[in-house]
Amino acid sequence: MRLGIFGGTFDPIHWGHLILAETCREELGLDEVWFMPAALNPHKQGRSISSAKDRLEMVRFAIAGNPHFRVSNLEIKRQGPSYTVDTLRTIREGRLDEDFFLMIGQDSVADFPRWKEPDEILRLATLAVVNRGRERPDLDAFAKQLGEEALDRVVEVEMPAIDISATDIRRRAQEGRSLRYRMPRSVELYLLQNQLYTSENPAEDSEG
Ligand code: ATP
């Protein structure tokens, strides 16, 4: 069993996330990709985040019908800041013979050595670094900080550049602009029906 873990805020999930996940599934021959919405992304504490219930629901809609994709509420259930190393430790319990891949965007590589226990993360999982379009990660700096052998735990995956971000979607929703073709229609309808990101109902800090 080869399992990919894909963490994010997913506020909301969009085509960029789904194409990233599907590209990794295909390129790395993954049996499953687990979408792991963060309870409270430690890197995003500066802004309010939609409730865990809404973010989980949007991921459920987005992946419906794909037998390889799952959503996990592990980080949301744990509450508090979500540290990847804790998540991996929990998931690996009882699954020692499985291959784990932690999927991260190329833009997160520079930051990775400052995550909690990066060496332990690399022991628990292979880092699947996803390059968008022509972007390339700075693996020299990565190796300098974590040691050359850390590179043995890194694989690179290429995907096309998809210039969609959750920030832009939230802004568009707030301004009443079109959201079409940026995410699955079911996600779009969910966020519209529940008035997420509109000024009358700003994203809440509570994790619901
Ligand atoms: P925000 O705009 O709120 O920062 P986001 O759209 O970047 O959100 P996140 O939930 O923060 O979404 O992203 C989770 C992961 O998905 C990150 O590793 C990020 O690099 C990746 N990602 C986000 N948008 C894209 C995209 N358009 N193409 C490929 N990967 C993406």
Side-chain angles (χ1 to χ4, degrees):
M1 173 93 162
R2 289 162 73 82
L3 205 153
I5 310 288
F6 182 28
T9 314
F10 302 124
D11 190 19
I13 188 166
H14 53 70
W15 289 125
H17 298 132
L18 290 158
I19 292 173
L20 181 151
E22 178 63 3
T23 305
C24 286
R25 188 197 65 76
E26 185 178 40
E27 296 294 318
L28 303 172
L30 303 178
D31 299 291
E32 288 182 4
V33 173
W34 289 13
F35 289 74
M36 184 75 66
L40 185 61
N41 189 326
H43 309 291
K44 284 196 182 168
Q45 282 171 354
R47 75 162 181 90
S48 49
I49 295 171
S50 298
S51 76
K53 178 180 158 288
D54 284 332
R55 291 181 296 117
L56 266 177
E57 204 61 15
M58 289 190 283
V59 175
R60 277 198 196 103
F61 275 121
I63 66 175
N66 186 331
H68 300 287
F69 286 1
R70 284 167 199 267
V71 60
S72 166
N73 64 359
L74 196 135
E75 293 196 349
I76 274 163
K77 269 197 322 214
R78 197 168 55 216
Q79 301 270 336
S82 307
Y83 291 108
T84 302
V85 69
D86 301 332
T87 304
L88 286 172
R89 273 202 195 102
T90 307
I91 298 177
R92 282 221 78 140
E93 270 168 32
R95 293 171 163 264
L96 291 177
D97 54 341
E98 295 176 12
D99 286 333
F100 282 76
F101 293 83
L102 179 69
M103 295 146 60
I104 68 166
Q106 161 275 339
D107 48 318
S108 300
V109 169
D111 215 35
F112 181 82
R114 287 188 291 278
W115 289 17
K116 187 181 169 198
E117 299 179 52
D119 298 318
E120 180 68 0
I121 294 177
L122 293 177
R123 202 183 62 74
L124 293 165
T126 302
L127 204 59
V129 174
V130 183
N131 300 324
R132 310 184 200 177
R134 290 169 205 272
E135 292 178 348
R136 288 293 170 274
D138 186 356
L139 288 176
D140 290 341
F142 179 92
K144 240 180 230 144
Q145 292 174 75
L146 296 176
E148 285 292 324
E149 65 286 355
L151 292 178
D152 297 340
R153 300 292 286 161
V154 175
V155 290
E156 288 185 71
V157 175
E158 318 295 326
M159 73 173 270
I162 312 279
D163 195 9
I164 300 175
S165 76
T167 305
D168 182 55
I169 291 170
R170 290 193 301 273
R171 196 176 303 127
R172 284 176 157 271
Q174 202 156 20
E175 293 169 357
R177 295 176 62 196
S178 169
L179 303 177
R180 284 306 285 272
Y181 312 122
R182 286 176 161 74
M183 70 207 94
R185 181 75 168 147
S186 52
V187 175
E188 182 188 339
L189 292 177
Y190 182 91
L191 74 82
L192 289 173
Q193 272 157 15
N194 290 280
Q195 294 183 297
L196 305 188
Y197 321 125
T198 56
S199 36
E200 297 82 42
N201 182 22
E204 290 167 21
D205 278 320
S206 133
E207 286 303 306

